[in-house]
């Protein structure tokens, strides 16, 4: 976040005329929208569970309501196909065109949004912040992405030369810098045997668990009884031990920076009856700094990272139309994507 703020100040100082600060700030935030919203709703229904350990026992698993707390500010020109029907921003918008390399207009655009969510009982934080400055000859962009569901988090900056073929198609080439945790690192590797099994009991003991082999009782680090059979220990407790250990070890590591070459393209065409918007990025080469946690070691050499999006819409006549929209990302062999398609028919 700190780096993005610094980048915003640099971009604004380069892009804006040298006037007084108040005039510069007014120009930067002109037409931008600040929004804060809370959304909620019923989650999955209650589930009854049954046990016959001490006679028939029933229990009800209740899932608390879903919610989304959103806070953000955005200044992004809408493309021709983006006719926002809502009067207000409520934080649930999903504008896939935000992922494009270039916007509809030249100049400075930005998005800062934080979403704290609970979905089906799972709480997580999503963040998407970016600043981009687009010119006919170059593109500068800084971005921070944290996706709780995809378990991906990184800071990315890029500097690219842009070549416009025409008003619809452009290509770009340049460099990308990404700051992230060392993806590919497996904390359980040191506990894995040659046959693929894991010394999970020794690992659990190291993490503070205790085992009474005579009474067949298993205790956590706080002394709480967590299992009275090896089946429960292996099927219920150990998966939690492994998950907590993996998360702890990953959080202990410092973030690393990855320098990569990037090639991209953007295409945009719009009429009232047909529109097409596509963008793509390819990172075929990555600098190997030789660090202990370099992804080159986990991947045995170079790899291809890429991302892209496609939005198509076609109105055959005033009654029928079809659309296809989607985006796809693959960084460090981790994937996250969205898509939708359908047909609309209006009866007159």
């Amino acid at each position: 976040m700190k780096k993005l703020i610094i980048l915003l100040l640099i971009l604004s100082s380069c892009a804006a005329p040298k006037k007084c600060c108040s005039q510069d700030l007014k120009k930067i935030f002109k037409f931008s929208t600040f929004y804060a919203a809370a959304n909620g709703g019923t989650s999955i229904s209650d589930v009854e569970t049954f046990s016959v350990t001490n006679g028939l026992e029933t229990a009800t698993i209740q899932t608390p309501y879903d919610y989304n707390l959103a806070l953000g500010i955005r200044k992004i020109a809408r493309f021709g196909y983006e006719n926002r029907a809502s009067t207000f921003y409520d934080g649930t918008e999903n504008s896939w065109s935000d992922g494009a390399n270039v916007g509809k207009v030249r100049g400075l655009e930005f998005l800062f949004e934080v979403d704290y969510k609970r979905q089906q009982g799972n709480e997580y934080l999503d963040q998407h912040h970016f600043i981009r400055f687009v010119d006919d000859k170059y593109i500068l962009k800084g971005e921070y992405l944290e996706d709780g569901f995809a378990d991906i988090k990184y800071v990315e900056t890029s500097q690219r030369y842009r070549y416009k073929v025409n008003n619809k198609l452009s290509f770009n080439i340049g460099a990308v810098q990404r700051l992230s945790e060392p993806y590919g690192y497996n904390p359980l590797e040191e506990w894995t045997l040659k046959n693929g099994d894991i010394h999970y009991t020794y690992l659990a003991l190291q993490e503070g668990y205790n085992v009474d082999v005579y009474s067949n009782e298993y205790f956590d680090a706080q002394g709480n009884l967590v299992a009275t059979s090896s089946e429960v220990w292996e099927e219920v407790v150990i998966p939690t031990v492994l998950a907590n250990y993996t998360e702890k070890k990953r959080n202990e590591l410092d973030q690393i920076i990855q320098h990569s070459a990037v090639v991209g393209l953007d295409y945009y065409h719009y009429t009232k009856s047909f529109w097409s918007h596509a963008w793509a990025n390819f990172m075929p080469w990555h600098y190997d700094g030789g660090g202990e946690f370099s992804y080159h070691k986990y991947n045995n050499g170079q790899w291809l990272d890429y991302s892209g999006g496609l939005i198509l819409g076609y109105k055959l006549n005033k009654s029928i139309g079809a659309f296809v929209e989607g985006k796809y990302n693959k960084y460090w062999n981790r994937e996250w994507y969205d898509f939708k398609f359908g047909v609309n028919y209006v009866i007159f």
Side-chain angles (χ1 to χ4, degrees):
M1 184 68 177
K2 180 180 178 181
K3 294 186 177 182
L4 288 178
I5 295 174
I6 295 173
L7 181 60
L8 174 59
L9 295 175
I10 294 174
L11 290 177
S12 62
S13 63
C14 295
K18 299 299 184 282
K19 300 178 182 179
C20 68
C21 294
S22 61
Q23 291 177 320
D24 288 346
L25 289 174
K26 183 177 180 180
K27 182 177 180 179
I28 290 173
F29 290 100
K30 186 177 182 180
F31 302 122
S32 63
T33 302
F34 173 82
Y35 52 96
N39 305 278
T42 304
S43 187
I44 58 176
S45 60
D46 298 342
V47 178
E48 289 190 345
T49 60
F50 303 90
S51 172
V52 293
T53 304
N54 299 309
L56 179 62
E57 297 180 353
T58 62
T60 302
I61 300 176
Q62 296 180 331
T63 304
Y65 65 90
D66 295 343
Y67 64 79
N68 179 15
L69 304 177
L71 181 68
I73 182 171
R74 62 184 291 131
K75 178 185 177 181
I76 305 173
R78 291 196 298 270
F79 289 90
Y81 54 82
E82 294 181 304
N83 295 318
R84 193 165 68 88
S86 302
T87 303
F88 299 103
Y89 284 108
D90 59 18
T92 63
E93 292 82 9
N94 187 15
S95 182
W96 291 350
S97 63
D98 292 349
N101 299 313
V102 300
K104 185 182 178 182
V105 298
R106 293 174 54 191
L108 182 68
E109 293 186 312
F110 54 82
L111 167 69
F112 295 92
E113 181 171 325
V114 178
D115 295 272
Y116 187 71
K117 301 179 180 180
R118 182 170 67 196
Q119 186 172 347
Q120 297 183 8
N122 296 316
E123 296 182 348
Y124 58 96
L125 178 70
D126 280 356
Q127 298 188 68
H128 189 199
H129 316 301
F130 77 78
I131 309 164
R132 69 184 174 203
F133 186 86
V134 178
D135 190 78
D136 288 340
K137 296 294 184 180
Y138 63 90
I139 305 170
L140 300 176
K141 186 175 182 180
E143 181 177 26
Y144 174 77
L145 178 69
E146 180 176 356
D147 190 317
F149 264 11
D151 190 25
I152 191 79
K153 179 169 63 174
Y154 62 87
V155 176
E156 177 179 295
T157 58
S158 63
Q159 310 80 34
R160 313 188 192 195
Y161 166 75
R162 183 187 184 199
Y163 174 72
K164 293 183 66 176
V165 179
N166 49 46
N167 290 329
K168 298 180 180 179
L169 176 64
S170 68
F171 295 93
N172 60 79
I173 185 171
V176 173
Q177 307 81 37
R178 291 174 293 173
L179 182 68
S180 70
E181 69 173 76
Y183 290 112
Y185 165 66
N186 181 12
L188 299 178
E189 186 175 358
E190 61 180 293
W191 297 91
T192 305
L193 302 173
K194 292 182 179 180
N195 61 2
D197 292 337
I198 295 179
H199 282 302
Y200 53 80
T201 299
Y202 292 119
L203 192 157
L205 293 175
Q206 176 184 283
E207 294 302 294
Y209 285 76
N210 289 292
V211 178
D212 189 334
V213 294
Y214 297 104
S215 60
N216 207 24
E217 293 180 332
Y218 304 81
F219 302 88
D220 64 14
Q222 289 73 42
N224 301 312
L225 181 66
V226 293
T228 56
S229 68
S230 59
E231 290 79 13
V232 174
W233 171 250
E234 295 177 354
E235 297 179 11
V236 179
V237 180
I238 288 300
T240 301
V241 173
L242 298 180
N244 292 339
Y245 176 78
T246 300
E247 183 179 4
K248 182 185 73 172
K249 298 299 287 186
R250 286 172 57 184
N251 291 338
E252 288 176 354
L253 298 180
D254 294 331
Q255 293 188 325
I256 60 176
I257 188 167
Q258 180 68 66
H259 299 271
S260 308
V262 62
V263 178
L265 65 88
D266 286 83
Y267 177 82
Y268 174 65
H269 169 73
Y270 175 77
T271 67
K272 291 184 177 180
S273 60
F274 174 77
W275 53 91
S276 174
H277 188 193
W279 62 94
N281 298 285
F282 302 93
M283 301 180 200
W285 180 87
H286 315 273
Y287 173 71
D288 184 5
E292 179 182 358
F293 301 106
S294 169
Y295 192 73
H296 292 79
K297 293 184 177 180
Y298 304 120
N299 195 68
N300 296 320
Q302 294 289 339
W303 70 97
L304 176 65
D305 285 340
Y306 51 92
S307 63
L310 175 65
I311 299 174
L312 289 174
Y314 177 60
K315 292 184 178 180
L316 181 62
N317 51 50
K318 65 179 182 179
S319 295
I320 190 169
F323 66 92
V324 176
E325 300 182 5
K327 62 179 181 179
Y328 180 87
N329 300 269
K330 186 177 182 182
Y331 279 11
W332 302 288
N333 290 313
R334 307 172 77 90
E335 299 176 296
W336 64 103
Y337 51 85
D338 298 285
F339 66 88
K340 61 182 177 180
F341 58 89
V343 175
N344 287 185
Y345 182 79
V346 180
I347 301 175
F348 290 92

